[in-house]
Every structure is written in C-alpha cells, then in structure tokens.
Amino acid sequence: MKPLMVFSFGGWSASTPLYETLCQNKVVRRSTVKEPNILPAIISKNSDSISDKYQDCMKKNREGCEVFQCTSIDDYIEWLLKHHNNEYLGVSDATNTHIFFDVQDISTFAFKFKEAFQVKILIICRDPVKRLFSHLNSILNPGHSLDNLGQNERLELVIPYLDKPEPIQFPGQGWDYRQKAYEPYMESNYPEMIENWSQFFDTHVICMEDLWGDRNNALEKLNTFLGTSITLTPNVYYPDLGPNAPHHKGLKDQWSSDTEFITQKNYDLAREKLQWVYDSLHYW
C-alpha cells in the first residue's frame, strides 16, 4: 500500500494544532519544519526563498535539512519517501503558501504525487471575519500599507474591499490591501481554494470551530476520512479568547495574532461584506 501524503493548510485557522494533532497521533511523521515551502520554491524557480530555512536547519543540527536542497518534484518525492517509516501512516507538508496555488500550479505536481502516495488534502477553515482579523494583525512586512495601525483599524480599512472574492494566484503579496493578489483576501476565498484542490485530490474541509468544539461529528468525519482514531491537541483559537488566549508552547503564531477584541460593529460590517463566503460553507 502506498504511504499517506497529507497536505494540510489554512492560515490563522489552527493549521499548527492540526499539524500537531496529526504528528502526535502518528498519522504523519513530523517533518523537518511544519512549513518547508518546497513546492512554492520549485514552482517559482526561486530556491533563495528557502535558503534561510536551510541555514536555520543546519544551525540547529536538525535531521533532514537536505530537503531544502530539492530542486524538482522528483527530488522532493524521493526525499519524502525516504523520510517515511512504517511507525507512521505517512508524511505531510503543512505549508500554508499552498493556499495560493491555482489549478495550473497544482497540475505541475499532482500526477507524480498520486503515483507515489495516497494523497489526502485537509483544508481547515475558521470563521472568515475572525480569521481575517487575526491575519491582518500578523503581517510582518515592514512598511506595509496597514503598518502602525491597531487591529480594529486595520479591519475597518479593508472592509470596503471584501464584497467579492480575490482570485487565487501564486505568488501573492502582503504589502498593499488596495492592490491585487493581497494574501489576506485570497485566504478568505474558501470556495476557489476548495475547488482547485478537489479537482486533483481527495479533499476534506474542516470547520475549526466544529472540530475543537465537538460539534457536527467533525472529529468522527476527520477520522473516517483519514482512516484513523485521533485525539486533538490544544488550539488557542477555540474557544475564542482574543488577546487573552493562553500562551501554549509552540502556538505563539496563534496567541500573538490578536491584540484586541474585535468590536461587534466591525464584525457585523465585515460579515455583511463576506457573506459570499458564509453562504458557500454554512458552518458559521
């Protein structure tokens, strides 16, 4: 039987707790890093984009640093097959940049991955307004268009731009909310994201709030999809405690993303603009 290959992603939607859940339950063997970004580097022909990860890996003397030297799909598949061992069902890549791949991008590697693996896609979704609220507050690019603004102020500025989907494309940009391919908008485009990946692979959509809130048989459905019997690891986005979220080790990307509570007015205004997302999934 082919080993399992799990691509999981969903920015500011508990992708790290999902990855930790898969690793700690031995569904997948822990990768060198959660988000190696190998496929984006290969597709963009930009190996420099992962050079910092390689250097950091070598500095920390981690196992598997050679993954960052993969320059082709074949190289990466070969590395993944070597990394797999029978203590686990398979391997994974939890790179959130995969969100921005369109059909043409995915087609460049889909066939070869399906030849080597039993591929499963996990797309984890979160309340679209709350996800966007966290994302906008986590942009690290110095001098970006929302720099030096509070979390609610950032949301207020982008609300007029939320009434229609931003087409998914790679690469995206995280600099200017007024320009095309703005990553926080594209990551809200769940309908296109799901459509793109499900054309090629067996795809399962997870509602974060349902999974950690023990609602709508979400854990049972996930276990059925993966053929597992997993239990969940902590997720500081649920319940939603905003800036008072517990500081669990390894989840700084979550608890550092909210420094304010979203105002009810801003939530309602943003939700009205993003109604096209809510209508497409019916989770929230």
Side-chain angles (χ1 to χ4, degrees):
M1 182 181 292
K2 296 176 183 178
L4 187 65
M5 173 70 204
V6 178
F7 289 103
S8 61
F9 45 84
W12 291 270
S13 303
S15 65
T16 300
L18 177 61
Y19 173 72
E20 286 297 325
T21 293
L22 298 176
C23 292
Q24 292 186 32
N25 285 271
K26 294 193 172 182
V27 179
V28 299
R29 185 179 179 192
R30 188 176 298 278
S31 191
T32 307
V33 294
K34 171 185 174 262
E35 300 189 48
N37 276 282
I38 306 302
L39 291 177
I42 292 170
I43 289 173
S44 64
K45 297 181 173 60
N46 181 16
S47 60
D48 290 343
S49 65
I50 54 174
S51 60
D52 288 347
K53 290 179 181 287
Y54 176 64
Q55 293 168 13
D56 184 63
C57 184
M58 294 296 290
K59 182 178 179 180
K60 294 177 179 176
N61 198 30
R62 287 177 171 165
E63 179 185 359
C65 297
E66 65 275 8
V67 68
F68 298 111
Q69 297 178 310
C70 294
T71 58
S72 69
I73 303 300
D74 290 333
D75 288 346
Y76 188 34
I77 289 174
E78 182 180 356
W79 183 88
L80 288 164
L81 289 170
K82 288 179 179 177
H83 184 66
H84 172 61
N85 71 47
N86 291 330
E87 188 177 351
Y88 304 85
L89 296 180
V91 290
S92 78
D93 187 331
T95 299
N96 277 319
T97 306
H98 295 161
I99 289 167
F100 309 123
F101 287 172
D102 62 15
V103 169
Q104 183 176 349
D105 295 323
I106 300 169
S107 70
T108 62
F109 59 84
F111 178 76
K112 288 185 175 181
F113 267 89
K114 286 193 285 190
E115 276 194 318
F117 300 100
Q118 180 189 1
V119 182
K120 299 279 189 178
I121 309 300
L122 297 177
I123 299 177
I124 186 163
C125 304
R126 181 183 173 202
D127 181 306
V129 172
K130 292 183 178 180
R131 192 216 68 78
L132 178 64
F133 189 61
S134 296
H135 190 165
L136 293 171
N137 203 43
S138 306
I139 300 170
L140 301 178
N141 303 328
H144 67 89
S145 59
L146 300 175
D147 209 3
N148 301 316
L149 295 176
Q151 193 170 0
N152 275 281
E153 289 177 299
R154 294 182 179 201
L155 181 61
E156 288 163 8
L157 279 178
V158 307
I159 284 174
Y161 298 83
L162 302 179
D163 58 342
K164 59 183 179 181
E166 182 67 23
I168 285 177
Q169 60 179 287
F170 172 76
Q173 59 93 9
W175 292 94
D176 192 339
Y177 69 91
R178 297 156 295 197
Q179 301 299 319
K180 297 292 185 181
Y182 191 49
E183 292 178 353
Y185 301 159
M186 290 195 291
E187 293 201 34
S188 299
N189 191 355
Y190 290 142
E192 185 179 351
M193 191 189 312
I194 294 165
E195 173 65 20
N196 288 347
W197 284 88
S198 62
Q199 286 188 46
F200 297 92
F201 302 113
D202 196 7
T203 300
H204 181 67
V205 180
I206 301 167
C207 171
M208 183 205 79
E209 291 87 350
D210 281 358
L211 185 59
W212 270 271
D214 193 24
R215 300 195 299 255
N216 297 319
N217 301 311
L219 181 56
E220 179 184 347
K221 292 173 183 176
L222 177 59
N223 276 320
T224 298
F225 178 73
L226 294 174
T228 56
S229 182
I230 61 176
T231 55
L232 300 174
T233 60
N235 168 19
V236 305
Y237 280 155
Y238 190 89
D240 181 10
L241 299 175
N244 296 330
H247 289 197
H248 287 308
K249 183 180 179 181
L251 296 180
K252 186 177 181 180
D253 59 330
Q254 287 194 302
W255 53 256
S256 64
S257 67
D258 290 326
T259 52
E260 300 176 13
F261 288 104
I262 188 171
T263 67
Q264 189 62 52
K265 178 182 177 181
N266 282 343
Y267 179 86
D268 291 342
L269 288 171
R271 179 163 181 140
E272 181 179 356
K273 289 287 188 177
L274 285 170
Q275 194 59 45
W276 56 271
V277 190
Y278 291 91
D279 288 343
S280 73
L281 292 178
H282 305 289
Y283 288 132
W284 305 278

